[in-house]
Amino acid sequence: MAYINNLGQVRIGVRGWVAAQSASASVTDSDATAFVTAAGITDSTQISALNTLVADLKTYGLWTKMKAIYPFVGGSASSHKFNLKDPRDLDAAYRLVFNGGWTHTSNGAKPNGTTGYADTKLTPSVNISNVNSVSISNYSRTQDTSFNGVQIGCYDGSNGQANELNAYQYYSIISRKGGSSYQYSIEAVLSTETNTKGFLLNSRTSSSIFKLFFNNNLLNTNTTIRTGNLPTRSLYIGASNWFNGTNQYTPHEHAFDSIGDGLTDTEAANFYISVQKFQTTLGRHV
């Protein structure tokens, strides 16, 4: 701005608050604002992408269906850990606790495939109220079919149980993409799709409907009546939380993960549209 000082001289200056104001002006949603503040996001493109994501999820009626959303924005472990739905730094808010080897960049969070995992602190049997309504998703930016890895999951194997909730971009030992909810042997939903870059969504909407979506395509449906139960241990990202320890590590870069209620076909399509728009704005879509 131009101004005249007390000597009558014309000077040009820029007020620091103008830049700050323009960066924050793109945040109009209170939930997006809470996340931006907690995660310390200052980049205007990232702020705008988050604001639009939240607005889209609310417009499509998806926001209330989500229990945890991890957008992996900010480029560091301290920003990537926050849950968009509840950005408090607490176990009760399902913020991530990273363990082992991870690489954090503006493109997302990448575990090393051998020791890296993140604990969501969300236990399905405790924190998901309807055993017949559950979804988990993962946006991977890595092409790799060499691992028996799980993008997000947990597994109860003790005392003869086999309750599990898993999503995997590709599981090499069975040469399949898919997931399970809740008895793997009869309730898994699988596909021979070998592309591991993109948005994977598992969704159960009833005791006999469990679907696998990938990049806005329905790959398969399992209509077996559910016999298992929700697992009693917390969901891990980058590996599966087993009864006997962490297992099934994967090296896929995470650009988005979610845990929530089951989604219909229309809701699944709108979820993909929202997430892909978000990734495209950030320049990291695949």
Side-chain angles (χ1 to χ4, degrees):
M1 68 177 181
Y3 64 96
I4 301 176
N5 65 13
N6 58 2
L7 297 178
Q9 298 169 321
V10 177
R11 291 290 183 263
I12 303 296
V14 177
R15 292 277 179 88
W17 62 265
V18 173
Q21 186 182 52
S22 64
S24 62
S26 59
V27 185
T28 58
D29 184 274
S30 59
D31 290 302
T33 300
F35 181 88
V36 165
T37 300
I41 307 299
T42 59
D43 181 88
S44 59
T45 299
Q46 294 175 357
I47 292 172
S48 178
L50 286 163
N51 191 72
T52 300
L53 173 64
V54 174
D56 286 346
L57 294 178
K58 289 182 177 181
T59 296
Y60 289 129
L62 298 169
W63 180 257
T64 57
K65 289 201 158 193
M66 295 294 116
K67 299 187 182 301
I69 300 172
Y70 304 105
F72 298 105
V73 175
S76 67
S78 60
S79 60
H80 287 168
K81 70 181 179 181
F82 286 102
N83 171 12
L84 181 60
K85 278 293 304 251
D86 185 354
R88 295 176 297 162
D89 195 0
L90 300 171
D91 289 355
Y94 313 136
R95 62 91 172 83
L96 299 178
V97 177
F98 290 102
N99 296 271
W102 284 83
T103 300
H104 298 273
T105 70
S106 59
N107 285 328
K110 191 178 189 302
N112 60 10
T114 55
T115 63
Y117 71 93
D119 189 347
T120 68
K121 302 297 181 179
L122 189 155
T123 302
S125 63
V126 175
N127 305 120
I128 295 176
S129 59
N130 186 347
V131 69
N132 291 320
S133 180
V134 61
S135 67
I136 51 178
S137 77
N138 164 254
Y139 195 103
S140 165
R141 298 190 69 258
T142 303
Q143 178 60 37
D144 193 324
T145 59
S146 65
F147 280 71
N148 294 324
V150 169
Q151 266 53 54
I152 177 171
C154 55
Y155 171 71
D156 289 338
S158 59
N159 301 320
Q161 299 180 50
N163 301 322
E164 60 181 85
L165 187 59
N166 287 319
Y168 36 94
Q169 290 282 2
Y170 200 80
Y171 197 67
S172 63
I173 199 170
I174 60 171
S175 301
R176 295 288 190 274
K177 178 193 294 291
S180 53
S181 167
Y182 304 96
Q183 299 279 342
Y184 173 76
S185 59
I186 60 174
E187 296 175 29
V189 57
L190 305 170
S191 170
T192 56
E193 169 68 57
T194 58
N195 178 17
T196 68
K197 296 174 70 174
F199 189 55
L200 177 72
L201 170 68
N202 293 347
S203 177
R204 176 175 289 282
T205 54
S206 78
S207 62
S208 60
I209 300 178
F210 182 43
K211 295 186 176 184
L212 175 68
F213 300 88
F214 182 63
N215 288 341
N216 209 21
N217 294 311
L218 174 60
L219 298 186
N220 201 0
T221 301
N222 189 324
T223 58
T224 301
I225 295 177
R226 180 195 58 77
T227 59
N229 294 303
L230 290 163
T232 60
R233 60 197 66 252
S234 62
L235 285 159
Y236 281 3
I237 287 175
S240 184
N241 184 8
W242 277 41
F243 68 98
N244 60 352
T246 309
N247 209 326
Q248 299 171 309
Y249 295 95
T250 177
H252 292 204
E253 185 174 47
H254 293 245
F256 187 94
D257 288 292
S258 72
I259 306 162
D261 298 336
L263 305 181
T264 65
D265 289 16
T266 299
E267 289 171 334
N270 289 333
F271 197 23
Y272 170 80
I273 290 169
S274 303
V275 173
Q276 188 68 355
K277 182 197 292 188
F278 171 70
Q279 306 295 358
T280 301
T281 300
L282 294 176
R284 63 186 196 184
H285 59 290
V286 294

